[in-house]
Amino acid sequence: MLHYKAYFLDLDGTVYKGSTPIKEAVEFVNYLQTNGVEPFFVTNNSSKTQKQLQEKLANMGVHTDSEHIITSSIAASNYIDEHFKGKSVFMIGEKGLEDALDSKQIKRTEGIAEVVVMGIDHHINYEKLATACISIREGAAFISTNSDHAFPTERGLVPGNGAFTKLVEHSTGIEPMFMGKPQPYMLEIIQKKYGFDKEDMIMIGDNYQTDILTGIHMGIHTAHVNSGVIRTEDVRNQLEQPTYFLESLSEWIK
Ligand SMILES: [Mg+2]
């Protein structure tokens, strides 16, 4: 299955499940690399840095450089650098977002700002939400890393960044701009950087609402893999179908 030059792989539910690697995906990545293709890893997770994700993958037998890992935080910092250069930024988020902003020398403030960027923050509180809301009401651009309402943990589903973003949206009446999947912005950054043609790109993931729609919005081929949150039978009910249905990525190792 070496039709493509750029393989974009979702992480959770596709390459691993929490802290457990998915064997077939690890083998698939190794197979691509043996054949001279370096895949890209695309995640809505805004809390982790590229380096942290690189280490997590390495512990699972997936070796890649941080250039091939893109997060919604990287997309957000690129976007702010491109559209709001020199503006003051108020951040709600963790190390992943902090490092991404630092890498573009984006200066942050603790007070009212011209840009508000929100990513998951396990220490979010009323004061941070108030500063975000007041800034936005005073005209700040409103950027959010991703719209995921919930994400799975050992305890069950817990609120995701999309839920807190919704709170700020509800209070201000202003809609945010989302950077992560299903928006194609992360893929566009890589396409721009490496100059891929759309017919050479494929998005692979377990979640129709994020991964497959990202590929569809981008206008590239997609593969749904039945290893994560959304089962094949539920994807078959969708109006726009992925290009391929796979039980596991081992189907593509020939
Ligand atoms: Mg997933």
Side-chain angles (χ1 to χ4, degrees):
M1 194 56 204
L2 289 163
H3 298 178
Y4 302 94
K5 290 180 185 156
Y7 293 78
F8 297 94
L9 286 153
D10 164 56
L11 287 178
D12 215 347
T14 302
V15 175
Y16 51 70
K17 273 187 190 166
S19 53
T20 312
I22 297 173
K23 191 173 117 279
E24 292 87 348
V26 176
E27 287 168 1
F28 180 67
V29 171
N30 291 338
Y31 164 77
L32 290 178
Q33 290 172 330
T34 305
N35 287 282
V37 179
E38 278 298 326
F40 296 90
F41 302 92
V42 182
T43 179
N44 272 1
N45 183 326
S46 68
S47 66
K48 297 259 188 299
T49 65
Q50 286 166 305
K51 188 107 193 78
Q52 287 170 328
L53 290 166
Q54 184 190 19
E55 280 163 14
K56 177 170 183 173
L57 285 168
N59 288 334
M60 295 176 171
V62 174
H63 299 280
T64 187
D65 55 49
S66 54
E67 291 278 284
H68 283 79
I69 300 169
I70 186 153
T71 70
S72 59
S73 286
I74 297 291
S77 72
N78 269 264
Y79 192 85
I80 293 168
D81 184 55
E82 212 171 295
H83 297 274
F84 303 102
K85 217 179 179 64
K87 305 269 188 212
S88 60
V89 175
F90 178 71
M91 178 197 90
I92 294 178
E94 294 181 13
K95 182 135 178 69
L97 187 53
E98 202 178 300
D99 274 27
L101 295 175
D102 286 349
S103 75
K104 294 280 184 190
Q105 287 91 44
I106 292 165
K107 65 171 193 306
R108 287 188 279 129
T109 169
E110 292 306 311
I112 305 304
E114 295 162 293
V115 177
V116 169
V117 60
M118 286 186 78
I120 190 73
D121 182 346
H122 290 79
H123 300 284
I124 196 162
N125 58 36
Y126 190 88
E127 200 42 47
K128 292 182 187 182
L129 291 164
T131 303
C133 287
I134 295 166
S135 296
I136 292 163
R137 281 182 183 276
E138 291 187 5
F142 182 14
I143 293 163
S144 178
T145 56
N146 64 292
S147 56
D148 302 11
H149 292 171
F151 63 88
T153 67
E154 284 78 12
R155 285 188 290 167
L157 285 169
V158 297
N161 180 53
F164 296 104
T165 303
K166 200 79 192 165
L167 185 155
V168 174
E169 178 188 339
H170 187 64
S171 174
T172 59
I174 308 278
E175 277 183 34
M177 234 168 334
F178 288 110
M179 296 290 120
K181 300 175 282 188
Q183 279 69 32
Y185 192 61
M186 291 193 280
L187 303 194
E188 285 169 9
I189 290 170
I190 291 172
Q191 186 196 24
K192 219 187 215 177
K193 187 166 172 187
Y194 292 85
F196 293 121
D197 292 327
K198 286 193 177 175
E199 58 267 32
D200 293 327
M201 300 166 73
I202 183 164
M203 178 73 219
I204 302 167
D206 64 303
N207 189 329
Y208 181 85
Q209 300 302 338
T210 55
D211 307 316
I212 303 305
L213 284 182
T214 299
I216 290 171
H217 293 154
M218 186 74 188
I220 64 173
H221 282 176
T222 55
H224 176 262
V225 56
N226 201 23
S227 54
V229 289
I230 313 278
R231 314 310 301 174
T232 299
E233 52 268 32
D234 298 320
V235 179
R236 292 210 187 265
N237 295 330
Q238 299 290 337
L239 196 60
E240 287 187 275
Q241 293 284 290
T243 318
Y244 308 98
F245 285 97
L246 303 171
E247 266 316 299
S248 87
L249 282 163
S250 64
E251 286 177 35
W252 272 1
I253 303 178
K254 295 272 152 42

